[in-house]
């Protein structure tokens, strides 16, 4: 992915050289043209066309923001109840991610999800121990959300 | 109303929302029963509140004063990245130094796992 990005940047700089116009707008037009050329030549690269990865990263950031707002609303709702009705607990969850940065991003996402907090990661990076604020009715729904997180992260790292 | 006035209303609402959120998360730290539920309140609501206030400050300086401060944007990104890690590390340290959960907690699946594997501090003392 970074290799294709580098090629695209070099193409933009070459475009600026050819036009002898050293402005930001000419860089942008060169970048867009280079993007088209990289797309046409995508069969020669071992990885997929890199803009799909960029799109997946943008989607991940949007999920991050959405979950942060939802989780803040839910935590505020639980704090402001006149009597605490929470039933906290720690549950284990198996994950299917290989690289370390993926595990880190997933645990950051889970920590910012409504009502869950990563307490520990097992030494082989295969299990997350998650403290949930309200366990009984939520665990199933949380699993679904987390499946979508895991899928979004795998989407970024897939080649 | 001019555009400037409208934007300053919006900025005021954003900053007020951030302040209220941070007040509520402080209430949460007082009210909730044990350290894990407290760190729920401390990581989520206060992260969002700090981000709201910083976004409001950025919008104020960029729209009203015409001054684009990249430092505030960097601050938002840093808070966003480091706050969940901080909450995780504090609760992890609490768990491994034996802070017990609240009495009403339903289950604790980490408990059995912890006995089997030697903790990192025990390993260090064996090596040294």
């Amino acid at each position: 992915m970074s290799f294709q990005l580098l090629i695209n940047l070099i193409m933009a700089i070459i475009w600026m050289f050819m036009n002898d116009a050293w402005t930001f707008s000419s860089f942008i037009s060169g970048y867009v043209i280079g993007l088209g050329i990289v797309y046409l030549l995508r069969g020669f690269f071992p990885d997929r066309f890199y803009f799909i990865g960029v799109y997946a990263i943008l989607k991940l950031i949007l999920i991050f923001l959405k979950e942060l707002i939802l989780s803040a609303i839910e935590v505020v709702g639980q704090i402001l109840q006149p009597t605490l009705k929470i039933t906290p607990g720690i549950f284990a969850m198996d994950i299917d991610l290989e690289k370390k940065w993926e595990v880190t991003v997933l645990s950051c996402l889970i920590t910012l999800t409504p009502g869950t907090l990563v307490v520990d990661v097992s030494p082989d990076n295969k299990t997350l121990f998650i403290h949930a604020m309200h366990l009984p009715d939520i665990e199933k729904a949380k699993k679904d959300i987390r499946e979508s997180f895991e899928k979004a992260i795998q989407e970024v790292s897939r080649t | 109303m001019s555009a400037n006035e409208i934007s300053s209303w919006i900025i005021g609402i954003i900053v007020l929302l951030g302040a209220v959120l941070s007040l509520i998360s402080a209430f949460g730290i007082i009210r909730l029963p044990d350290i894990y539920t407290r760190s729920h309140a401390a990581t989520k609501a206060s992260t969002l509140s700090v981000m709201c206030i910083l976004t409001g400050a950025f919008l104020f300086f960029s729209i009203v004063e015409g001054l684009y401060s990249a430092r505030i944007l960097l601050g938002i990104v840093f808070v966003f990245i480091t706050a969940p890690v901080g909450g995780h590390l504090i609760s992890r340290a609490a768990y491994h130094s034996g802070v017990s959960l609240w009495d009403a907690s339903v289950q604790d699946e980490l408990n059995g796992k912890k006995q089997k594997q030697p903790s990192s501090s025990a390993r260090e003392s064996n090596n040294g």
Side-chain angles (χ1 to χ4, degrees):
Chain A
M1 178 174 160
S2 47
F3 179 63
Q4 291 178 41
L5 180 65
L6 203 62
I7 283 182
N8 202 342
L9 285 176
I10 290 172
M11 277 181 189
I13 291 169
I14 288 173
W15 179 260
M16 282 157 73
F17 263 108
M18 291 198 305
N19 280 335
D20 200 16
W22 301 97
T23 58
F24 186 66
S25 60
S26 101
F27 176 80
I28 290 294
S29 58
Y31 190 85
V32 171
I33 289 166
L35 197 66
I37 294 172
V38 172
Y39 180 72
L40 288 178
L41 298 178
R42 67 191 181 281
F44 293 98
F45 296 109
D47 303 340
R48 60 182 172 168
F49 179 52
Y50 82 96
F51 220 68
I52 303 172
V54 174
Y55 175 69
I57 290 173
L58 282 180
K59 222 163 75 179
L60 200 62
I61 291 172
L62 282 183
I63 291 177
F64 224 66
L65 277 175
K66 195 192 86 187
E67 288 303 326
L68 181 66
I69 293 170
L70 284 181
S71 70
I73 290 171
E74 179 173 327
V75 168
V76 162
Q78 271 164 352
I79 289 169
L80 291 184
Q81 271 171 14
T83 54
L84 287 177
K85 291 195 207 89
I86 54 174
T87 51
I90 293 178
F91 64 95
M93 184 199 154
D94 295 330
I95 53 172
D96 182 29
L97 296 172
E98 281 153 20
K99 303 191 195 87
K100 282 182 179 172
W101 70 264
E102 294 172 340
V103 178
T104 311
V105 171
L106 183 66
S107 25
C108 275
L109 277 170
I110 289 174
T111 302
L112 292 177
T113 329
T116 49
L117 181 84
V118 177
V119 175
D120 205 349
V121 185
S122 71
D124 57 352
N125 284 346
K126 290 282 179 246
T127 313
L128 291 182
F129 296 99
I130 300 165
H131 182 272
M133 204 171 183
H134 196 59
L135 206 51
D137 59 328
I138 266 178
E139 186 173 350
K140 187 83 196 87
K142 286 293 159 294
K143 277 240 156 76
D144 295 340
I145 293 174
R146 231 166 281 113
E147 298 297 316
S148 70
F149 280 162
E150 244 187 282
K151 219 166 277 170
I153 291 172
Q154 281 163 345
E155 198 69 25
V156 172
S157 67
R158 214 182 55 199
T159 54
Chain B
M1 273 205 293
S2 66
N4 220 335
E5 210 170 329
I6 295 171
S7 57
S8 59
W9 268 97
I10 293 172
I11 290 164
I13 289 170
I14 290 175
V15 172
L16 193 66
L17 196 71
V20 169
L21 264 176
S22 116
L23 180 71
I24 290 173
S25 81
F27 279 148
I29 292 174
I30 297 172
R31 263 197 85 183
L32 289 171
D34 68 348
I35 184 167
Y36 307 103
T37 44
R38 276 176 189 162
S39 61
H40 278 282
T43 51
K44 284 156 199 163
S46 59
T47 309
L48 192 64
S49 75
V50 170
M51 278 174 59
C52 275
I53 292 173
L54 284 179
T55 312
F58 176 77
L59 288 177
F60 177 77
F61 282 114
S62 60
I63 294 172
V64 180
E65 313 253 310
L67 201 85
Y68 293 96
S69 168
R71 261 176 253 173
I72 295 180
L73 291 182
L74 264 185
I76 292 174
V77 172
F78 282 159
V79 167
F80 201 50
I81 293 173
T82 52
V85 179
H88 162 64
L89 281 180
I90 290 171
S91 55
R92 185 176 188 273
Y95 197 93
H96 283 284
S97 52
V99 178
S100 57
L101 292 125
W102 186 36
D103 301 333
S105 302
V106 215
Q107 58 173 334
D108 187 3
E109 290 189 1
L110 182 53
N111 199 13
K113 302 274 163 57
K114 213 183 110 191
Q115 254 70 53
K116 267 181 266 169
Q117 77 200 41
S119 71
S120 59
S121 59
R123 245 176 293 161
E124 272 165 28
S125 61
N126 285 345
N127 292 340

